């Protein structure tokens, strides 16, 4: 008779029988779950892809915008000469302005200033050359590539005192010439900012132009 150890319980385990029906049911369950798992994985990957593409697109847009801003900031500001339209536009303004000065009642042919009156009636054959010199002066003072060289040099390269000393132009007459220049700029529809810069550049030489008047008599 077989012996059993005292105090030890005897365990028996049920036998599991795997038949064809059981195996078939297990396979059916796995096959039923597989599409759901594939769909979940596919959806997850698709969402990740969309997010990644969106982030990449946003980053590219930011970089492109920053590059565009950097390039815009790197561009040098246009000179007054360029904003006025260059030598041809300036020459047209000077031509109109010079003709208007001749007819101006305060500084032209009927001026009370004998020197100005004489110049605008007796020396008009010099007007084309004067227009040329005035065009060069405006091109130079506005930052253009053309350089003005005075026939009667002043104390500076753009100085006007010697060219105007004999005309004895008063401050009031200078202001009228500036007003005529302003009307000419309006005639050509020069923008306000550029008009202001031109008039300021002209006004900066008021002391030189009126030097002859200040020292007369």
């Amino acid at each position: 008779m077989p012996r059993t150890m005292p105090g030890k319980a005897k365990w028996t385990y049920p036998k599991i029988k795997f038949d064809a029906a059981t195996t078939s049911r297990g396979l059916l369950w796995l096959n039923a779950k597989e599409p759901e798992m594939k769909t979940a994985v596919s959806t997850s990957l698709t969402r990740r892809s969309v997010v990644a593409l969106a982030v990449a697109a946003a980053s590219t847009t930011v970089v492109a915008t920053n590059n565009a801003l950097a390039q815009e900031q790197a561009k040098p500001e246009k000179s007054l000469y360029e904003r006025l339209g260059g030598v041809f536009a300036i020459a047209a303004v000077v031509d109109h302005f010079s003709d208007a000065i001749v007819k101006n009642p305060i500084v032209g042919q009927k001026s009370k200033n004998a020197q100005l009156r004489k110049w605008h009636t007796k020396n008009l054959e010099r007007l084309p050359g004067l227009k040329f010199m005035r065009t060069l002066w405006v091109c130079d003072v506005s930052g253009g590539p053309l350089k003005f060289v005075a026939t009667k040099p002043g104390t500076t390269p753009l100085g006007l005192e010697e060219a105007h000393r004999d005309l004895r132009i008063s401050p009031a007459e200078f202001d009228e010439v500036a007003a005529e220049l302003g009307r000419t700029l309006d005639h050509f529809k020069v923008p306000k900012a550029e008009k202001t810069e031109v008039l300021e550049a002209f006004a900066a030489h008021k002391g030189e132009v009126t030097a002859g008047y200040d020292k007369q008599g």
Side-chain angles (χ1 to χ4, degrees):
M1 208 173 152
R3 295 181 183 181
T4 59
M5 302 226 14
K8 295 285 185 178
K10 186 176 182 180
W11 294 90
T12 58
Y13 300 94
K15 293 184 179 180
I16 300 173
K17 183 180 181 180
F18 291 94
D19 56 15
T22 303
T23 305
S24 177
R25 282 196 299 273
L27 291 175
L28 286 175
W29 180 86
L30 289 174
N31 288 336
K33 291 295 182 180
E34 184 179 1
E36 293 180 10
M37 294 171 64
K38 288 182 178 179
T39 302
V41 172
S42 176
T43 302
S44 177
L45 289 175
T46 302
R47 287 174 179 170
R48 286 200 206 103
S49 300
V50 170
V51 171
L53 288 173
V55 171
S59 299
T60 302
T61 302
V62 170
V63 171
T65 302
N66 290 339
N67 288 340
L69 289 174
Q71 290 176 1
E72 188 66 25
Q73 292 173 353
K75 288 181 181 178
E77 183 181 353
K78 287 186 176 181
S79 66
L80 177 58
Y81 172 84
E82 293 174 299
R83 286 180 280 126
L84 288 172
V87 62
F88 295 103
I90 291 172
V93 169
V94 170
D95 182 65
H96 185 280
F97 163 73
S98 299
D99 290 341
I101 289 294
V102 173
K103 299 175 183 178
N104 186 286
I106 297 175
V107 295
Q109 292 175 328
K110 297 182 180 181
S111 174
K112 292 180 180 180
N113 181 326
Q115 285 73 29
L116 285 176
R117 186 169 64 249
K118 178 181 178 181
W119 201 101
H120 289 115
T121 55
K122 304 292 185 180
N123 295 313
L124 287 181
E125 73 277 0
R126 298 184 64 191
L127 187 58
L130 181 58
K131 290 180 178 180
F132 172 72
M133 297 300 290
R134 285 172 174 168
T135 299
L136 285 179
W137 189 87
V138 176
C139 287
D140 197 344
V141 80
S142 62
L146 303 174
K147 298 303 175 184
F148 169 81
V149 179
T151 54
K152 294 182 179 181
T155 56
T156 64
L158 293 172
L160 301 174
E161 61 270 28
E162 296 306 323
H164 296 83
R165 191 179 299 280
D166 294 339
L167 296 175
R168 298 180 181 178
I169 298 172
S170 70
E173 289 165 344
F174 178 92
D175 291 343
E176 180 58 28
V177 173
E180 196 66 72
L181 177 57
R183 288 190 285 270
T184 298
L185 294 171
D186 288 339
H187 173 78
F188 285 96
K189 296 181 173 56
V190 174
K192 184 178 180 180
E194 283 68 33
K195 175 185 175 182
T196 299
E197 288 186 55
V198 170
L199 294 178
E200 286 177 350
F202 182 69
H205 295 267
K206 183 174 182 177
E208 300 163 10
V209 175
T210 60
Y213 178 84
D214 293 338
K215 294 181 179 180
Q216 68 176 330

